[in-house]
Amino acid sequence: MAARFEVRHQAGKGWHFVLIATNGQVIATSEHYESHRSCLNGIDSVKRNAGAPIQDDTGTNEGR
């Protein structure tokens, strides 16, 4: 199974999405959006920017 986005709605909070990895684990959760369309636009933004470089300003080198 491929990774997927799931759009969810919570009464009083609005719409948000989660990104689910191929193993079924949630690996990202979005902010809440007022509209379904805004939530879908957020997914499109993540897709467009997914190849962005990592910026780590924590000053640690753990695991390197």
Side-chain angles (χ1 to χ4, degrees):
M1 178 193 314
R4 67 185 187 278
F5 290 94
E6 285 187 5
V7 176
R8 299 179 178 176
H9 183 263
Q10 288 182 291
K13 289 191 173 184
W15 302 89
H16 73 281
F17 64 85
V18 294
L19 176 56
I20 300 178
T22 56
N23 65 1
Q25 296 293 307
V26 173
I27 57 173
T29 303
S30 74
E31 64 181 292
H32 282 86
Y33 298 90
E34 290 186 23
S35 71
H36 184 259
R37 170 57 32 211
S38 293
C39 185
L40 295 178
N41 289 343
I43 291 171
D44 286 340
S45 178
V46 170
K47 287 179 176 181
R48 279 192 317 273
N49 294 294
I54 297 171
Q55 179 175 332
D56 183 349
D57 296 329
T58 62
T60 65
N61 289 319
E62 292 179 29
R64 294 185 191 184

